Amino acid sequence: MEKIWFKEYEKTGIQDKITLPPEHTSLIDVLEQNFQKYGSRDAFVFMDKSITYSELEVASRKFACYLQSLGLEKGARVAVMMPNVLQYPVVSLGVLRAGCILVNVNPLYTARELEHQLNDAEVDMLVIIENFASVYEKIVGKTPVKHVVVASVGDMLGMIKGTLVNFVLRNVRKQIPKWNIAGHVSFNQALNKVNPNHYKRPKMSLNDTALLQYTGGTTGVAKGAELTHKNIIANTLQIKNLFDSKFKKLEPCDYRFLCALPLYHIFAFTVCEIYGLYQGATNLLVPNPRDLPALVKEIGKFKPTLFPAVNTLFNALVHNEEFQKLDHSAMQIAVGGGMSVLPSTAEAWKKYTGLIIHEGYGLSETSPAVVFNPPVSEEFTGTIGIPLPTTDVALLDDAGKEVTRGEQGEISIRGPQVMKGYWRRPEETEQAMTKDGFFRTGDIGVMDERGYIKIVDRKKDMILVSGFNVYPNEIEEVVAQHPKVLEVAVIGIPDEKSGEAPKLFIVKKDASLTTEEILAYAKQNLTGYKRPRYVEFMDELPKSNVGKILRKELKAKQQS
């Protein structure tokens, strides 16, 4: 395989490979090293309350010790179901330091989805924020869970503020449904039950599993990507190598990350929590980025250096008048991932912030980052970038052979960040991997002569119109540029004449927008078979926990 992207490394100051330091035998080594190195710095901030690296070391060691006191041994699965609050890093790092396996759970899961994940991962303990405890209550006794720890939002905010926050959430905003889980332990009780000096550091190796990161279940039942300590460390070093080309002159005090993506998602977990801790960064935790006024206020006060987000959040911000007025001079880089960044969004972002959105690409199965636009680049390329150091990317046809440069193929990845496999699903693991170790992503892409890759679309989202392949991403990029369109999504629906036809779902920016106007615009900008034939206007589009537009829900809506 010719690694044509190496020339871009030379131009942009990126090293061509990463090497894992021999002293890093697990994530525990990485964490302990940086707890000590950055002791007095703030690690995380939530609702104006901060926790330093030293405080995080003690609290996470307490939680690790608590797990050990219950007899949970190396490899035990601990599920964590909470949003971006201070307790999340304490618990997640405590799980890793105990030698257990972290199972991240979306707090918005239904009882059915939660039951499946707890059973599939054979979870021993669940740590849950009380806002969602009523969901677990519905399935008590139907899973292997033996221990339950329930946290409250205000637990780490101090006695006065914490009590007030919990009172308001329970009694004023009514955001906590009544629940009753027999035998549960509160988060604060768990921390206070043990002496942190009794912590016993487990013997770990790089090949031990650190996380079970569940996929969204877009190809069937949700399954856990088994990520090792090596996977996470390697990806952290790959990200560091990449960002060092931009951040060479920054001191640790200048690393301020705005963490508006949920930490239980692999994007934020690796980029914000683990890479952030590696660099001595301060992470501002935002539990609800959809509350734009509150988010904009935090951005103005915190002045982040790095801002990872998805297209929908970038798009919402650039249409917010208060955000447009902010001083964005402190921001060094905006990272786009999770879904394609639309050119119209990137253009508006640059207009108001002066910054390029640097788009990247990754998956739960790859820890997640695999491809990224060089941070020193001063152009929005409209691509997902070039492979990270020590990462091979090939575009394969259905027979598993590499396609000719410029042709469409399935993006396939080989590197130290690629998962061990799907948790206890050897057949599905085998189907996802080629014989020479490439993970087949299911995304269709094209690589140019410099090694930059553009995603055409998901293999399964492709629309077949009279024998022609039509990719929703292309149509969405075109329609999103219409000045009266706020958001757009495209799916294929059955059509008697052409087999399938594209249908648009649009959220208006301007109430005067009509179906005829959109179809005329599409006719001007798209060739015949790519033109949408149907338009439906919506108040909002269905989105995932990270703000990714869910085409599968639009398809389900269409079929119902």
Side-chain angles (χ1 to χ4, degrees):
M1 179 190 301
E2 184 186 3
K3 300 182 180 181
I4 57 175
W5 53 86
F6 271 29
K7 291 181 181 178
E8 293 298 303
Y9 287 172
E10 295 173 7
K11 291 180 186 177
T12 56
I14 299 171
Q15 298 176 17
D16 61 7
K17 64 180 178 180
I18 57 121
T19 303
L20 270 66
E23 66 270 19
H24 290 171
T25 61
S26 74
L27 278 165
I28 298 175
D29 294 315
V30 175
L31 296 172
E32 290 182 347
Q33 165 192 306
N34 293 294
F35 286 147
Q36 184 175 6
K37 185 175 181 180
Y38 303 114
S40 61
R41 266 192 59 68
D42 289 339
F44 293 92
V45 179
F46 173 68
M47 294 183 70
D48 294 324
K49 173 67 175 177
S50 62
I51 180 172
T52 67
Y53 278 74
S54 293
E55 291 167 339
L56 182 58
E57 190 282 321
V58 173
S60 62
R61 180 154 44 97
K62 279 185 177 181
F63 197 79
C65 190
Y66 175 68
L67 297 178
Q68 292 175 337
S69 74
L70 296 175
L72 295 185
E73 298 179 349
K74 174 181 172 180
R77 272 77 62 202
V78 179
V80 180
M81 186 173 177
M82 58 176 69
N84 288 5
V85 293
L86 289 176
Q87 296 93 314
Y88 180 88
V90 169
V91 172
S92 59
L93 300 181
V95 170
L96 295 172
R97 296 183 76 183
C100 297
I101 297 173
L102 175 64
V103 183
N104 280 317
V105 181
N106 182 346
L108 299 181
Y109 265 176
T110 63
R112 179 191 62 79
E113 292 167 321
L114 179 58
E115 182 180 352
H116 163 74
Q117 187 166 331
L118 296 179
N119 280 317
D120 189 76
E122 297 183 11
V123 166
D124 298 283
M125 170 187 275
L126 172 66
V127 186
I128 189 169
I129 201 87
E130 68 172 343
N131 307 52
F132 309 104
S134 62
V135 177
Y136 173 70
E137 183 184 357
K138 297 174 184 176
I139 58 170
V140 169
K142 296 181 180 180
T143 73
V145 172
K146 304 179 187 69
H147 311 282
V148 178
V149 174
V150 180
S152 301
V153 172
D155 282 345
M156 299 188 69
L157 298 179
M159 178 64 72
I160 297 174
K161 185 172 184 177
T163 301
L164 179 60
V165 166
N166 288 337
F167 177 83
V168 170
L169 290 176
R170 292 168 186 159
N171 303 296
V172 180
R173 296 187 181 178
K174 308 289 186 183
Q175 291 183 354
I176 302 174
K178 291 184 179 180
W179 58 274
N180 181 24
I181 300 173
H184 80 275
V185 173
S186 75
F187 174 78
N188 285 335
Q189 284 176 330
L191 287 192
N192 294 326
K193 273 190 172 186
V194 293
N195 183 335
N197 294 326
H198 293 162
Y199 166 68
K200 295 179 181 177
R201 196 180 192 277
K203 292 182 180 179
M204 306 294 292
S205 78
L206 288 173
N207 293 323
D208 286 327
T209 301
L211 275 78
L212 292 186
Q213 193 69 35
Y214 274 73
T215 66
T218 54
T219 56
V221 176
K223 48 191 178 288
E226 195 170 353
L227 303 178
T228 65
H229 286 256
K230 180 180 179 180
N231 290 153
I232 303 297
I233 294 173
N235 206 223
T236 300
L237 294 177
Q238 289 169 320
I239 293 167
K240 172 178 164 53
N241 186 331
L242 188 76
F243 286 171
D244 276 356
S245 65
K246 176 76 173 181
F247 289 155
K248 287 177 182 176
K249 297 180 181 180
L250 287 189
E251 296 296 327
C253 61
D254 293 319
Y255 283 92
R256 297 185 302 279
F257 294 0
L258 182 69
C259 190
L261 297 171
L263 284 167
Y264 57 81
H265 189 277
I266 192 64
F267 186 3
F269 179 83
T270 300
V271 174
C272 292
E273 181 164 346
I274 303 301
Y275 168 67
L277 290 172
Y278 201 95
Q279 292 296 94
T282 299
N283 266 285
L284 175 65
L285 299 180
V286 178
N288 180 21
R290 294 183 181 183
D291 183 352
L292 278 185
L295 175 59
V296 170
K297 184 178 179 181
E298 292 284 11
I299 293 173
K301 185 168 56 176
F302 186 66
K303 300 189 184 307
T305 308
L306 182 140
F307 182 16
V310 294
N311 183 81
T312 45
L313 183 53
F314 286 129
N315 190 49
L317 286 170
V318 296
H319 287 96
N320 180 281
E321 292 183 1
E322 294 305 313
F323 177 81
Q324 294 170 6
K325 298 174 186 175
L326 291 180
D327 174 9
H328 299 287
S329 59
M331 196 180 298
Q332 298 281 318
I333 184 169
V335 179
M339 63 186 295
S340 294
V341 175
L342 295 175
S344 55
T345 302
E347 184 179 345
W349 183 264
K350 185 176 182 181
K351 175 182 176 181
Y352 293 114
T353 69
L355 287 176
I356 300 295
I357 296 177
H358 289 83
E359 191 172 0
Y361 168 80
L363 308 98
S364 294
E365 292 91 339
T366 57
S367 307
V370 291
V371 178
F372 202 81
N373 277 275
V376 297
S377 172
E378 296 183 359
E379 62 170 332
F380 176 72
T381 66
T383 74
I384 53 175
I386 57 177
L388 266 64
T390 318
T391 302
D392 294 330
V393 175
L395 303 185
L396 306 179
D397 61 20
D398 290 340
K401 294 182 180 180
E402 195 166 1
V403 301
T404 304
R405 186 83 62 235
E407 291 186 357
Q408 296 173 2
E410 184 176 3
I411 300 172
S412 304
I413 302 152
R414 182 173 62 190
Q417 71 271 54
V418 176
M419 66 175 181
K420 182 187 291 187
Y422 290 116
W423 173 253
R424 296 183 177 172
R425 295 176 187 266
E427 292 182 2
E428 294 196 39
T429 301
E430 187 176 352
Q431 290 173 6
M433 305 295 295
T434 67
K435 292 181 180 179
D436 51 353
F438 280 87
F439 170 68
R440 303 191 69 144
T441 66
D443 286 315
I444 304 298
V446 177
M447 182 183 290
D448 68 16
E449 67 282 353
R450 296 185 299 162
Y452 284 80
I453 300 168
K454 182 174 179 61
I455 290 184
V456 182
D457 228 309
R458 284 292 295 174
K459 198 172 183 178
K460 63 180 182 55
D461 283 342
M462 184 184 73
I463 306 168
L464 194 62
V465 180
S466 300
F468 291 97
N469 293 345
V470 177
Y471 295 98
N473 275 7
E474 181 183 3
I475 301 175
E476 289 168 359
E477 284 188 10
V478 169
V479 175
Q481 293 178 42
H482 193 289
K484 295 183 182 180
V485 171
L486 180 63
E487 291 183 331
V488 59
V490 179
I491 65 168
I493 64 172
D495 185 86
E496 288 185 5
K497 293 182 179 179
S498 58
E500 284 187 302
K503 177 175 179 178
L504 297 176
F505 293 84
I506 291 175
V507 178
K508 297 180 182 181
K509 187 192 302 182
D510 185 325
S512 69
L513 181 64
T514 65
T515 296
E516 292 73 23
E517 198 174 348
I518 280 293
L519 293 179
Y521 183 80
K523 187 175 182 179
Q524 290 177 346
N525 293 281
L526 293 165
T527 191
Y529 68 90
K530 295 180 182 178
R531 293 171 192 160
R533 297 188 198 168
Y534 308 95
V535 179
E536 182 175 335
F537 295 110
M538 303 180 72
D539 292 331
E540 62 178 343
L541 297 176
K543 297 183 180 75
S544 72
N545 51 296
V546 295
K548 184 176 181 178
I549 294 171
L550 297 173
R551 290 181 187 148
K552 65 177 182 178
E553 290 197 12
L554 293 173
K555 290 177 181 177
K557 175 183 182 297
Q558 188 66 36
Q559 293 167 359
S560 62

